[in-house]
Amino acid sequence: MRVSRLMLVTLRDDPAEAEIPSHKLLLRAGYIRRLAPGIYAYLPLMWRVLRKVSQVVREEMERTGALETLLPQLQPAELWQRSGRWAGYTDGEGIMFHLEDRQGRQLGLGPTHEEVITALAGDLLRSYRQLPVNLYQIQTKFRDEIRPRFGLMRGREFIMKDAYSFHADEDSLRETYAAMDGAYRRIFARCGLRAVAVEADSGAIGGSASQEFMVTAEAGEDLILTSPDGQYAANQERAVSLAPAATPLAGGALADGQGEPLSTPRQTSIEALSAAHGFLPCQVVKVLLLVARFEQGLEQPVLVSLRGDQQLNEVKLANALAARFGQTHGALLALAPLSEEGLIREGLQCLPFGFLGPQLDDRVLAGARQWQPTFLRFRDHTAASLETFVCGANSPDEHLVGATWAGLGQNPETLDLRSAQPGDRCHHDPAQTLEARRGIEVGHIFQLGRKYSTAMEARFATEAGGEEPFWMGCYGIGVSRLAQAAVEQHHDGNGICWPLAIAPYEVIVVPANVADDQQRNLAERLYDELGNAGVDVLLDDRPERAGVKFKDSELIGIPWRVVVGRGAADGRVELVERQGGGSEELAAGSLLEQLVPRIQAQRCGLSEG
RNA sequence: CGGGGCGUAGCGCAGCUUGGUAGCGCGGAUGCUUUGGGAGCAUUAGGUCGCAGGUUCGAAUCCUGUCGCCCCGACCA
């Protein structure tokens, strides 16, 4: 391809709309253009990158025996009602774009394809003899993100590879899950990305085991916690750890564990309380009130007790709530702090926020309009294991000292509800402490189990002659996100440094001065030879000054540059590697034998081949 | 939705406080010079100042409303 014909429009200034390096660079280098928030045009260079990434994905999926397919993006609501996800995905903060056709039928624009594929599988897969099957597709997905941002990182329209596997039993599912784990590691390595596999929360997709693949980068939206020995890595949403030990409260239990009142005027925060009376935050039990709203109308107040120095992990709490009520009340639609406005709306008295204790009486909810009249009570292990503690007295400006769980007459269900923090000790080896890194989630694999196949009555005939729902797995890769993550991980002050395996072109031939016949002719000849050797090659034939062409070639990130300049008369050219900027002069005649083997090696990315 | 910010030429911005009829850099076009690190000179095209009201002799500038976009939080490949 000739650069003069490439519709290349590069920008000298950073566009105001972009914040992170990869987003700025993709805009500046002419890879993408924004059409609306979260909606981008992939310009010709970007499309080549996306096709290369897709090709790597395809090859590795095919290698595991997966079948490529292409499923409808326009999906009937009825299908989603059968799985029970229509309401959760369209109401409230649902992310599915949905619409009504002229017949008044409800349709959704596919954010994911579990429903469609499960319906198909139920139709086509009749016998255990046909299993296992793994189907995948690469296509545009639609999600009405609350806040699209960072270019392709979180778009409302994006390219995703999604795969769905069907199995006769759980062992077969685990086998495919492991095969996908391996395929994913190869895909990211081949694309030249340093990625970390971490334990993850299953989120709205549901299911049991799940693992995310994170490209480590400063701009990552996720916080991941890893142990230095590499044995443990998890998304913070999911991470577990050992909390620091608590210091026993001096004085022990007071008033038979009911605690002695302590005047604590305006000391509404743990910090103020501790500072005023010489307590440590780990000696205090703090109480958080929330309200959980479920699909079928249930609004359940929740009282969570945590040790004062710990943070609530809302994902863990949401999972506990979904596990308890999902069957009977549908999806958890919202989980929000119980607020003063909420109390007023319910016609209830205001509560002494800042002075709440776990013994808060259910009577404060009596007469509520929508809410259930009793709290669902949980406590974190760290709070449960305190022998004696300080807590709110449930009246303004008063706390209790020397309280015990028995003394307060409380014994709420004990769960892991705390957020693991960097510096915490690890479960597998308390000598290891968690380290924090930021990551961009580029892949996620799930063992779904039988959630969808049961809901949608997708069954197969077993060897014994019975009928059972399929065991299912699903496996996603954000293809467009991966491409941008590659830029985030591979750039410098001059622009993008594409890993060669996914670069739009592998080599750019730059005649320093196209007005010079010798330079132009030699450049043309090398361009032809490289093309004939199967190399993706660009020729910068624009009548620009050399400096402009060098800058552009670096900005757009072509891995190799062949400069045909002053040396052209003697048949000499300069070979420059984008990554690192190393350059060498060599005879034009030996360019192919020097360069082609290196390109072939780099096409394998970080992997051995 | 809550909190912050911004809408002026294709892109990046100034002008607004203190109203006087729109400017700078980059980019585009033409010509000459230059030619290995985003060239110089000259000429030139391009803007209902987001939109709608209002105040005023006069509004990019002041007032009211409205729309859009960006950033921080909840969502996720």
Side-chain angles (χ1 to χ4, degrees):
Chain A
M1 187 67 203
R2 290 163 189 275
V3 176
S4 63
R5 307 282 81 216
L6 192 57
M7 201 176 83
L8 180 67
V9 179
T10 57
L11 305 174
R12 203 177 286 215
D13 300 314
D14 281 337
E17 73 186 63
E19 197 70 12
I20 62 174
S22 57
H23 187 193
K24 288 179 182 171
L25 288 171
L26 289 177
L27 285 165
R28 274 190 61 203
Y31 281 82
I32 58 174
R33 277 296 162 102
R34 194 186 69 98
L35 216 63
I39 303 177
Y40 286 82
Y42 309 123
L43 302 181
L45 282 177
M46 192 73 219
W47 186 237
R48 286 185 69 93
V49 172
L50 292 170
R51 275 165 49 203
K52 289 203 174 179
V53 173
S54 301
Q55 190 52 33
V56 170
V57 170
R58 244 179 218 114
E59 286 171 17
E60 292 300 335
M61 292 303 290
E62 300 283 333
R63 204 162 122 174
T64 68
L67 302 163
E68 184 164 4
T69 179
L70 189 60
L71 302 170
Q73 285 157 313
L74 217 40
Q75 306 178 6
E78 183 263 343
L79 219 46
W80 285 72
Q81 281 153 356
R82 273 169 62 194
S83 72
R85 288 207 297 180
W86 178 258
Y89 269 67
T90 56
D91 287 355
E93 295 191 336
I95 56 163
M96 182 153 60
F97 286 107
H98 51 108
L99 58 126
E100 202 171 89
D101 69 13
R102 62 179 78 206
Q103 260 68 252
R105 287 181 290 240
Q106 294 282 315
L107 297 163
L109 217 40
T112 176
H113 281 73
E114 282 82 8
E115 280 76 4
V116 172
I117 197 83
T118 308
L120 275 172
D123 209 20
L124 296 168
L125 300 172
R126 300 278 166 73
S127 159
Y128 74 94
R129 291 172 194 273
Q130 292 169 283
L131 302 176
V133 169
N134 192 5
L135 290 159
Y136 77 97
Q137 58 174 347
I138 297 173
Q139 67 163 192
T140 298
K141 291 281 188 276
F142 298 90
R143 293 187 187 173
D144 191 0
E145 290 288 341
I146 298 165
R147 184 153 85 88
R149 67 187 123 169
F150 302 148
L152 307 184
M153 287 293 194
R154 181 175 300 282
R156 295 194 293 169
E157 188 183 314
F158 61 96
I159 299 175
M160 177 169 161
K161 185 284 298 180
D162 49 331
Y164 306 88
S165 66
F166 296 87
H167 311 267
D169 55 54
E170 199 172 3
D171 283 346
S172 168
L173 166 58
R174 290 211 187 94
E175 245 170 66
T176 297
Y177 183 81
M180 287 297 105
D181 181 18
Y184 274 38
R185 289 170 198 268
R186 286 194 298 277
I187 287 166
F188 301 128
R190 282 185 60 185
C191 290
L193 290 169
R194 296 182 300 275
V196 190
V198 303
E199 285 181 22
D201 182 72
S202 301
I205 307 282
S208 51
S210 110
Q211 184 170 281
E212 287 170 339
F213 292 84
M214 297 285 189
V215 168
T216 49
E218 272 307 302
E221 293 186 80
D222 290 275
L223 187 67
I224 58 183
L225 296 174
T226 56
S227 65
D229 65 1
Q231 293 293 300
Y232 184 76
N235 192 310
Q236 195 191 23
E237 293 179 343
R238 159 91 185 194
V240 293
S241 65
L242 298 168
T247 308
L249 184 62
L254 299 174
D256 291 334
Q258 293 177 33
E260 280 185 355
L262 175 69
S263 173
T264 53
R266 291 182 304 282
Q267 292 157 19
T268 55
S269 69
I270 301 267
E271 294 72 37
L273 176 70
S274 310
H277 303 278
F279 302 132
L280 295 168
C282 65
Q283 296 167 331
V284 180
V285 167
K286 70 176 168 189
V287 163
L288 302 176
L289 301 182
L290 302 98
V291 180
R293 187 163 62 83
F294 290 86
E295 188 180 344
Q296 288 162 26
L298 176 69
E299 296 195 30
Q300 175 65 59
V302 183
L303 185 155
V304 179
S305 299
L306 283 169
R307 203 173 81 189
D309 61 334
Q310 300 299 310
Q311 299 297 315
L312 174 67
N313 180 325
E314 277 200 33
V315 174
K316 291 179 181 176
L317 178 61
N319 286 340
L321 290 165
R324 176 171 290 222
F325 291 112
Q327 288 295 319
T328 46
H329 296 277
L332 175 64
L333 294 183
L335 178 61
L338 188 156
S339 63
E340 211 161 302
E341 299 82 72
L343 288 166
I344 292 166
R345 222 170 20 248
E346 292 292 310
L348 299 174
Q349 294 296 310
C350 189
L351 293 171
F353 289 109
F355 304 95
L356 296 176
Q359 72 286 16
L360 183 64
D361 200 292
D362 282 337
R363 276 178 297 196
V364 301
L365 294 175
R369 298 204 172 96
Q370 299 289 322
W371 295 350
Q372 291 300 109
T374 54
F375 285 109
L376 179 62
R377 292 163 196 262
F378 290 123
R379 63 180 167 181
D380 181 65
H381 292 291
T382 52
S385 61
L386 291 177
E387 302 271 328
T388 57
F389 49 84
V390 177
C391 66
N394 295 317
S395 65
D397 299 333
E398 195 171 286
H399 281 78
L400 300 175
V401 185
T404 67
W405 289 102
L408 294 176
Q410 296 294 320
N411 186 25
E413 186 175 346
T414 303
L415 298 169
D416 175 26
L417 294 173
R418 60 180 281 276
S419 199
Q421 301 293 331
D424 285 351
R425 293 163 300 142
C426 299
H427 275 289
H428 76 279
D429 176 4
Q432 304 272 324
T433 56
L434 292 174
E435 293 173 349
R437 293 152 85 180
R438 300 212 70 87
I440 300 163
E441 181 187 356
V442 291
H444 200 157
I445 60 178
F446 300 80
Q447 289 182 29
L448 291 176
R450 305 203 277 195
K451 173 178 168 178
Y452 293 92
S453 52
T454 304
M456 304 192 66
E457 301 179 329
R459 302 198 190 92
F460 66 97
T462 64
E463 194 169 1
E467 271 211 334
E468 281 183 13
F470 298 104
W471 288 87
M472 289 176 60
C474 83
Y475 318 95
I477 289 181
V479 171
S480 42
R481 179 185 281 185
L482 184 157
Q484 186 172 334
V487 177
E488 199 57 42
Q489 211 173 58
H490 300 281
H491 68 271
D492 63 18
N494 294 317
I496 300 170
C497 307
W498 288 111
L500 184 131
I502 59 172
Y505 293 91
E506 296 165 323
V507 180
I508 182 166
V509 178
V510 182
N513 180 0
V514 287
D516 179 318
D517 285 346
Q518 274 182 320
Q519 290 184 21
R520 197 181 63 244
N521 292 337
L522 180 55
E524 290 275 358
R525 203 185 84 212
L526 293 172
Y527 169 64
D528 285 341
E529 286 176 9
L530 284 162
N532 290 337
V535 172
D536 287 335
V537 59
L538 273 177
L539 175 67
D540 197 343
D541 58 338
R542 295 175 300 172
E544 293 286 350
R545 293 163 61 87
V548 171
K549 296 193 275 195
F550 293 161
K551 285 288 186 192
D552 272 344
S553 78
E554 283 158 10
L555 180 60
I556 66 177
I558 307 303
W560 294 96
R561 181 172 72 210
V562 176
V563 182
V564 183
R566 301 189 202 92
D570 308 321
R572 299 196 69 77
V573 297
E574 189 187 359
L575 178 61
V576 185
E577 188 165 14
R578 176 67 184 87
Q579 177 75 54
S583 77
E584 57 199 285
E585 198 184 289
L586 43 81
S590 69
L591 175 69
L592 263 70
E593 64 189 68
Q594 296 270 337
L595 182 55
V596 174
R598 294 199 222 176
I599 288 174
Q600 283 165 346
Q602 290 177 344
R603 282 176 184 160
C604 301
L606 303 176
S607 59
E608 325 286 277

